[in-house]
Amino acid sequence: MEIPVIDMEKFGLREGSDNLIKLSECLDQAFTKTGCARLVNHGITTQQIENVYAGSSLFFNLPDELKKRYRFVGLEDSTVGYIGLGTERYGEKQDLHEGYLIRTAEDLPGKDLTAEDLPGKDLPAEDLPGKDLPAEDLPGKDLPGKDLVPGWRIATESLHTSLKILSSVILDALSLAIGKERDYLASLHHSEGDKKSFKLLRMAHYPPTNPDAAQTSIRFDEHCDFNTFTLLLQDNMGGLQGRDNDGNWFDLTPEPDSIILLAAQFIQFYSNEKYKALRHRVIIPEEEVKCRHSRYSIIYFVNADGHIPAWPTTATHLPQPPPNVQDHLMSVLVNPVN
Ligand SMILES: O=C(O)CCC(=O)C(=O)O
Ligand SMILES: [Fe+2]
C-alpha cells in the first residue's frame, strides 16, 4: 500500500487561499483513498522531536510508584496524566504500552518531582534513567536536587506549539475538502488547553519485550481514533500498521521527520462517510533487536469542542440526536482502571 505523501512546503503554509485549495485537494485524495497521509517538510525540526523523546525516556524509566503519582483518573475529572502499562485494553490481547496524556505542557510533572524522589538519588546524573542518552541531551542534566523533568516540559511546549499551527492549517484545508467555508472546522475546534478541551497530546512508550510475547500481547491493539484527525510521530522502531479497505494490514513505516496524519471518526462523520477513520495498531516487531528495544511515539489528537455534536444531525445511519463530543468520548474510551 502506497501511503500518500504530502509535502507541506509546497503550499506555503500560511499564505493565499489558492494554496489552501491545493492542500485540500491532496487531503481529499489521501483520506478518500487510504484514510492517512505522510506529511513531510512540515516545519517541525528533528531536534524538537528528539528533545521530547529524551524527556519521555527519562520519565517512563522512573519506578512505577513514582509514575503512578501522576495517574490519569478518567476523562470526567481530568483529561491528563499517566496511563500505566496494561490499564488500557482494546481487544483480546494484552496491550503493552504506557503513556502520558496532556492538554498543555504544564500538565507534565512539575517541580514536585525532583532528584530526591529517585531511589538512586545518590547516583551521579549520568546514571539516572535515560543514561543511554548523551549527557547533554538529558532533560534533567542539571541534577541533583532540581526539578527532574523541566526539559520535558520545555521540549513538549515547543513541539506542541508547532503541532497546533500545523493542525490549524489542516483543519482549514479539510473544511474546504468537505465543501464548507475555510473556518468551518476551526469554529468547532475552539478550545485549547483549558479544562474543556479534548485536544490531547500523548507521549507514548512501548517497553522492550520479546518475540514470544506476540502470541498473547500487542503493543497497541487495533482501533480507530475518536477525534477529528491525529498527527502521529514515531521513532524508528516500527510496528505501526493501518488496515486497508480489504482488511489487509499495511506498514506505516517510520521515516525520519515525517508525520503520519490519520483520519479519525469525527471527520468520517462530518464528511458524510466520504473519509473513513483509519483502523490502526502497533505490533511487536518480528525483528528481535527491535522488539527488545523501547519504542517511543507522540500522538496529537485534534478533537472538536466538548459541546459539539459528535456527528451531524443529518446523519441518517447514526442514532439521533447525536451525543456531544464529550459524552461520546466517555462512552467509547476505555476508562483506565487505575
Ligand atoms: O503509538 C502509536 O504509534 C499509536 C498510538 C495510537 O494509535 C493511539 O494512541 O491512539
Ligand atoms: Fe490511535
Side-chain angles (χ1 to χ4, degrees):
M1 161 77 82
E2 193 120 346
I3 304 156
V5 175
I6 300 185
D7 181 346
M8 297 300 289
E9 216 166 62
K10 280 208 322 227
F11 307 105
L13 283 182
R14 271 152 267 170
E15 285 155 27
S17 57
D18 213 16
N19 287 339
L20 202 68
I21 292 170
K22 286 189 197 127
L23 174 59
S24 81
E25 289 165 357
C26 289
L27 287 172
D28 180 70
Q29 274 179 19
F31 275 12
T32 307
K33 234 167 58 194
T34 57
C36 65
R38 187 187 295 283
L39 307 182
V40 298
N41 295 325
H42 39 63
I44 299 177
T45 66
T46 317
Q47 199 58 53
Q48 276 179 290
I49 303 166
E50 292 293 321
N51 287 346
V52 177
Y53 288 148
S56 296
S57 149
L58 188 70
F59 178 81
F60 288 117
N61 282 294
L62 290 172
D64 275 352
E65 318 83 74
L66 268 183
K67 290 187 281 189
K68 283 190 175 155
R69 246 198 230 171
Y70 302 95
R71 201 157 37 201
F72 174 91
V73 285
L75 282 171
E76 199 131 23
D77 299 318
S78 150
T79 50
V80 301
Y82 169 67
I83 300 173
L85 203 63
T87 52
E88 258 180 318
R89 194 175 183 134
Y90 285 81
E92 289 300 301
K93 289 190 165 181
Q94 179 73 38
D95 279 49
L96 295 180
H97 63 90
E98 56 182 340
Y100 203 113
L101 213 49
I102 62 163
R103 284 171 313 221
T104 85
E106 288 304 307
D107 295 326
L108 290 173
K111 301 228 181 294
D112 51 330
L113 185 57
T114 73
E116 300 306 307
D117 291 318
L118 287 177
K121 61 176 189 261
D122 300 325
L123 294 174
E126 56 274 19
D127 285 344
L128 289 170
K131 59 179 184 289
D132 46 330
L133 295 164
E136 61 275 18
D137 290 346
L138 266 184
K141 63 175 190 290
D142 295 323
L143 294 175
K146 289 238 180 91
D147 182 357
L148 183 62
V149 280
W152 202 22
R153 284 200 304 281
I154 294 163
T156 301
E157 192 169 349
S158 152
L159 180 65
H160 198 182
T161 303
S162 301
L163 287 170
K164 281 186 233 172
I165 294 169
L166 183 60
S167 71
S168 68
V169 177
I170 294 170
L171 272 180
D172 287 355
L174 278 176
S175 300
L176 301 182
I178 60 172
K180 302 283 189 189
E181 293 293 317
R182 174 190 180 144
D183 58 359
Y184 172 72
L185 285 173
S187 72
L188 311 180
H189 293 70
H190 268 307
S191 64
E192 189 73 69
D194 52 76
K195 276 229 176 272
K196 291 204 186 102
S197 174
F198 291 95
K199 286 193 195 114
L200 298 171
L201 188 67
R202 175 192 204 128
M203 265 64 72
H205 173 229
Y206 301 81
T209 180
N210 61 73
D212 295 341
Q215 313 274 337
T216 51
S217 321
I218 186 155
R219 278 191 156 161
F220 205 124
D221 215 338
E222 66 170 279
H223 65 285
C224 60
D225 293 343
F226 305 111
N227 44 300
T228 306
F229 62 81
T230 303
L231 293 171
L232 197 152
L233 297 91
Q234 55 176 332
D235 67 12
N236 57 6
M237 286 302 132
L240 179 66
Q241 297 185 320
R243 204 174 73 170
D244 68 19
N245 293 336
D246 301 323
N248 300 316
W249 291 99
F250 60 93
D251 290 330
L252 288 157
T253 351
E255 276 182 21
D257 293 340
S258 74
I259 296 180
I260 301 283
L261 168 68
L262 301 175
Q265 264 193 353
F266 189 87
I267 199 64
Q268 172 174 335
F269 297 150
Y270 276 76
S271 68
N272 250 328
E273 307 285 326
K274 184 174 186 204
Y275 311 144
K276 289 276 187 289
L278 184 77
R279 279 192 90 69
H280 54 283
R281 65 180 185 182
V282 185
I283 57 165
I284 296 174
E286 276 166 25
E287 226 181 299
E288 179 141 2
V289 284
K290 291 202 166 164
C291 82
R292 291 201 187 275
H293 214 283
S294 278
R295 174 178 185 269
Y296 291 93
S297 60
I298 305 160
I299 308 114
Y300 185 40
F301 301 102
V302 175
N303 212 343
D305 301 338
H307 67 280
I308 300 296
W311 49 82
T313 46
T314 48
T316 48
H317 65 295
L318 290 163
Q320 293 293 347
N324 66 30
V325 161
Q326 173 164 4
D327 293 342
H328 181 53
L329 264 186
M330 305 281 195
S331 69
V332 290
L333 277 191
V334 184
N335 233 348
V337 210
N338 55 43

